């Protein structure tokens, strides 16, 4: 089989979705156990750990700014 750019992009998207599904499951398990979830963002240098909700809100703001 010969790979094409379109198939490579499709495969990458499916893998990204699978990773996000795993992440969502693990976060749910931590929250059910009463543990807080924090993330580190490295886009513009290490911004330190931040609560997951704050991280998601920042991504949504960036997305709206691009539209």
């Amino acid at each position: 089989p010969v790979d094409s750019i379109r198939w490579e992009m499709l495969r990458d998207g499916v893998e990204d979705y699978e990773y996000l599904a795993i992440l969502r499951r693990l976060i749910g398990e931590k929250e059910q156990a009463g543990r807080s979830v924090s993330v580190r963002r490295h886009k513009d240098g290490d911004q330190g750990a931040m609560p997951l909700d704050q991280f998601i809100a920042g991504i949504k703001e960036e997305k709206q700014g691009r539209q």
Side-chain angles (χ1 to χ4, degrees):
V2 177
D3 290 335
S4 69
I5 293 172
R6 178 177 276 171
W7 279 112
E8 292 293 326
M9 291 173 56
L10 179 63
R11 185 188 69 196
D12 289 344
V14 169
E15 288 174 351
D16 291 346
Y17 180 84
E18 290 171 346
Y19 285 128
L20 289 172
I22 292 168
L23 179 61
R24 183 172 285 156
R25 179 180 55 83
L26 293 172
I27 288 171
E29 290 173 5
K30 296 287 185 191
E31 289 176 339
Q32 283 181 343
R35 298 181 66 188
S36 63
V37 178
S38 62
V39 296
R40 295 183 80 88
R41 186 163 189 189
H42 295 276
K43 179 181 177 195
D44 300 317
D46 189 358
Q47 299 176 5
M50 65 180 73
L52 182 62
D53 293 338
Q54 180 183 348
F55 175 76
I56 292 171
I59 290 174
K60 287 180 180 179
E61 287 177 17
E62 287 180 17
K63 184 178 177 183
Q64 288 175 350
R66 287 187 217 144
Q67 293 176 349

